[in-house]
Amino acid sequence: MANFKSKLLTCTLSTFLPGTGLHFAYLFGLKSKWFFLQIACLCIGVWGWMELAQTEKESILGWIAVILGEGSILASWIATFAFGLRPDEKFDAQFNPLSTKKNQSGWLIILCVVVALMVGAFFLMSGLAIAFEQYFSMQIEAARKISQ
């Protein structure tokens, strides 16, 4: 019997451990370039977060790093949509071609997709709100310096 890849486990990993790329490691093995790319971007994002904390949000490099980290996390939730909403036959044809066991989607996969949508939308909107607030604060500071 071939290695069976569970659609539910894939969605659970990408929803509840975002940015780690573990869902790609589960599906494609440790040779997956997406696994290493996501883990690297997450680590860079954590470094960027610490850099922004030390420089009082003044580091441009820190902001770029945080954006990469956030992109890695958001990509995991998008992968939840891609794998969770894919028909079982198509998922099994790609990941379980030799297995006699087949996936049967249920409500748990839909719950993973809903959680990924809710948390992902909140995370994206929060990131945008913080970025715009920082941008406009910098613009106000620049205007104050010019006017003095």
Side-chain angles (χ1 to χ4, degrees):
M1 185 170 150
N3 239 357
F4 177 73
K5 303 294 183 187
S6 170
K7 186 174 171 181
L8 177 61
L9 184 57
T10 302
C11 290
T12 303
L13 288 172
S14 62
T15 300
F16 297 108
L17 296 172
T20 60
L22 290 176
H23 56 286
F24 286 122
Y26 171 68
L27 289 176
F28 302 109
L30 290 178
K31 64 181 188 263
S32 171
K33 63 182 176 190
W34 297 112
F35 166 67
F36 289 110
L37 182 64
Q38 273 202 305
I39 214 75
C41 286
L42 184 65
C43 292
I44 290 169
V46 169
W47 171 83
W49 189 264
M50 292 187 300
E51 177 72 15
L52 288 177
Q54 289 176 351
T55 62
E56 296 178 2
K57 300 178 187 171
E58 295 292 326
S59 171
I60 298 296
L61 194 58
W63 279 108
I64 293 169
V66 166
I67 290 169
L68 282 174
E70 184 176 10
S72 174
I73 292 171
L74 291 172
S76 287
W77 288 320
I78 291 172
T80 302
F81 306 149
F83 293 126
L85 298 177
R86 183 180 294 185
D88 291 338
E89 298 79 29
K90 192 172 179 181
F91 185 89
D92 286 330
Q94 183 176 0
F95 299 109
N96 300 316
L98 303 175
S99 177
T100 56
K101 190 176 177 185
K102 299 297 178 190
N103 280 293
Q104 289 185 328
S105 292
W107 284 104
L108 290 177
I109 291 176
I110 300 303
L111 284 174
C112 283
V113 171
V114 168
V115 167
L117 180 61
M118 288 180 0
V119 175
F122 174 77
F123 197 80
L124 178 64
M125 295 304 288
S126 297
L128 288 173
I130 291 169
F132 283 127
E133 185 265 335
Q134 288 299 313
Y135 172 75
F136 289 123
S137 293
M138 287 181 187
Q139 293 299 317
I140 290 171
E141 281 298 316
R144 283 186 184 150
K145 287 180 183 177
I146 290 173
S147 67
Q148 291 178 354

